[in-house]
Amino acid sequence: MSHLPAELGYAETHEWVRTEADGTLTIGITDHAQDALGDIVFVELPETGRVLEAGQVCAMIESVKTASDIHAPVAGEIVAINDRVSEAPEAVNEAPYDAWLFRMRPEPDAQPALLDAEAYRKLID
């Protein structure tokens, strides 16, 4: 059973979300998601400056088995992307909670509907 960092929030679509000190959100995919995907070979990230609705597909991860959409956990603007995962997609397999995909600045008063680690574990078990 994989370790789920308690400080993160989790979307039912298998993204993890960390709230940063400046109010931005860092988003990646969970260990469960990378394990289900298998060897990741390509990551397509959103453009910085793109404004998204909550739940909107904004990125894609391809593995040797399949492709999977990544969803915005909240309405807001993309403020940074992690070029490292584009150049070395296997980093997501190796360390899914370190290999973040993008950062967002949520719209004022936008709160992502996230599960805590315990609720996410129940979802994936």
Side-chain angles (χ1 to χ4, degrees):
M1 193 174 297
S2 64
H3 166 70
L4 290 173
E7 71 277 9
L8 301 178
Y10 299 89
E12 290 186 6
T13 48
H14 308 293
E15 293 87 12
W16 59 259
V17 179
R18 182 177 61 231
T19 302
E20 304 297 343
D22 65 0
T24 60
L25 303 176
T26 300
I27 293 95
I29 66 165
T30 65
D31 185 50
H32 173 80
Q34 72 77 25
D35 188 55
L37 284 167
D39 293 335
I40 295 170
V41 295
F42 179 75
V43 178
E44 180 182 315
L45 298 172
E47 292 181 27
T48 55
R50 184 171 169 196
V51 177
L52 301 165
E53 296 296 320
Q56 184 175 351
V57 172
C58 61
M60 188 198 45
I61 291 186
E62 283 185 28
S63 70
V64 292
K65 293 195 277 190
T66 188
S68 183
D69 291 333
I70 307 301
H71 303 82
V74 66
E77 178 185 354
I78 301 292
V79 294
I81 59 168
N82 186 354
D83 289 322
R84 182 173 166 260
V85 297
S86 295
E87 296 160 10
E90 65 278 3
V92 177
N93 289 122
E94 294 162 4
Y97 298 112
D98 294 327
W100 58 278
L101 302 178
F102 57 93
R103 289 199 172 110
M104 296 182 73
R105 178 171 293 110
E107 288 184 358
D109 302 322
Q111 288 294 322
L114 299 172
L115 304 170
D116 64 16
E118 186 177 332
Y120 183 70
R121 175 157 327 280
K122 288 178 183 161
L123 176 75
I124 61 175
D125 281 348

